[in-house]
Amino acid sequence: AQKITQTQPGMFVQEKEAVTLDCTYDTSDPSYGLFWYKQPSSGEMIFLIYQGSYDQQNATEGRYSLNFQKARKSANLVISASQLGDSAMYFCAMREADRGSTLGRLYFGRGTQLTVWP
Amino acid sequence: DAGITQSPRHKVTETGTPVTLRCHQTENHRYMYWYRQDPGHGLRLIHYSYGVKDTDKGEVSDGYSVSRSKTEDFLLTLESATSSQTSVYFCAISESRVGYEQYFGPGTRLTVT
């Protein structure tokens, strides 16, 4: 079964509008972390935001916020006030803390290509 | 930015030849990972290391081997390159197996003809 599911292959948003990128996850581990990465056309992986499973509040980093709904196992990324430079591929990922055999590896979704238009 | 470099950054090679990719870190992090990225698949784990000479397989390890003789270097070898190994390869490092830190290198684009 997929650990991370991103159901939106592509999303379009107008500049200055907010956009939500969906991510659902699957784990039986009570302790885990959720990540979002941005990959621009230049190819590097840029860390955006992190949410721990025990964190009480939704994570925020500037214009990025993570809408964490634990019971629904969802971790959607919200980008407020989109900019042209936000056009990129976005990956959701998860790390399971208590499974010793996985030793901190990340499980990735297939990504969402976001296009911001003027 | 975390100190991670990958070499080479681009390589074209022929089917059947061995290829070695290098990941070098200056952070003294214990954990190192090799992922490959292919369209429609996100990033998938090839191998990882949890210390010098301590390595293990990920879910797409067939055709790959790794070595870590020093904390700072993690080598990925394609023993006999095939066209299916054409991909972008990312190295990542982490000080801990928990928490928010997992830093990625710039990637290596490998083409097997």
Side-chain angles (χ1 to χ4, degrees):
Chain A
Q2 286 266 51
K3 291 271 193 183
I4 296 288
T5 302
Q6 294 180 255
T7 57
Q8 306 155 315
M11 288 285 286
F12 294 84
V13 64
Q14 190 170 24
E15 200 177 7
K16 300 179 186 176
E17 297 293 312
V19 63
T20 298
L21 306 184
D22 294 342
C23 173
T24 57
Y25 60 92
D26 181 29
T27 182
S28 57
D29 194 327
S31 178
Y32 53 90
L34 297 158
F35 300 72
W36 279 92
Y37 287 87
K38 172 184 179 181
Q39 187 179 44
S41 58
S42 52
E44 70 268 33
M45 296 291 287
I46 301 169
F47 167 74
L48 293 178
I49 196 165
Y50 169 85
Q51 179 86 41
S53 59
Y54 293 120
D55 293 343
Q56 294 296 311
Q57 298 198 335
N58 287 344
T60 60
E61 290 286 348
R63 295 185 298 110
Y64 304 107
S65 60
L66 199 153
N67 184 0
F68 180 45
Q69 298 189 40
K70 197 169 183 176
R72 295 181 61 188
K73 293 189 174 179
S74 76
N76 298 339
L77 177 70
V78 180
I79 305 175
S80 63
S82 298
Q83 302 172 353
L84 295 178
D86 293 336
S87 292
M89 182 71 85
Y90 289 80
F91 290 99
C92 179
M94 177 179 66
R95 177 186 243 184
E96 295 169 314
D98 286 346
R99 291 179 182 243
S101 62
T102 61
L103 292 177
R105 57 83 46 93
L106 292 174
Y107 295 94
F108 283 85
R110 297 184 177 185
T112 297
Q113 180 69 45
L114 176 67
T115 302
V116 181
W117 51 282
Chain B
D1 288 345
I4 315 170
T5 57
Q6 292 184 232
S7 58
R9 295 291 314 280
H10 302 271
K11 186 170 181 66
V12 180
T13 192
E14 293 185 349
T15 298
T17 59
V19 176
T20 295
L21 308 183
R22 181 185 184 226
C23 177
H24 178 77
Q25 61 147 327
T26 57
E27 305 295 323
N28 201 37
H29 285 354
R30 178 181 176 187
Y31 300 92
M32 298 185 77
Y33 312 85
W34 277 108
Y35 296 90
R36 60 177 286 175
Q37 182 180 17
D38 304 292
H41 288 279
L43 278 75
R44 294 178 292 173
L45 184 69
I46 307 172
H47 280 279
Y48 59 95
S49 170
Y50 45 99
V52 173
K53 299 193 189 318
D54 292 324
T55 64
D56 209 342
K57 297 179 180 179
E59 65 257 32
V60 290
S61 61
D62 287 349
Y64 301 95
S65 62
V66 289
S67 66
R68 192 169 178 200
S69 58
K70 299 184 289 185
T71 298
E72 57 266 35
D73 288 326
F74 192 31
L75 303 181
L76 176 71
T77 297
L78 288 65
E79 293 137 11
S80 176
T82 67
S83 58
S84 65
Q85 292 175 313
T86 292
S87 188
V88 179
Y89 292 85
F90 285 97
C91 174
I93 65 172
S94 180
E95 187 171 28
S96 166
R97 65 179 181 83
V98 299
Y100 65 90
E101 293 181 337
Q102 182 151 140
Y103 302 106
F104 283 81
T108 293
R109 183 173 294 276
L110 176 68
T111 303
V112 184
T113 61

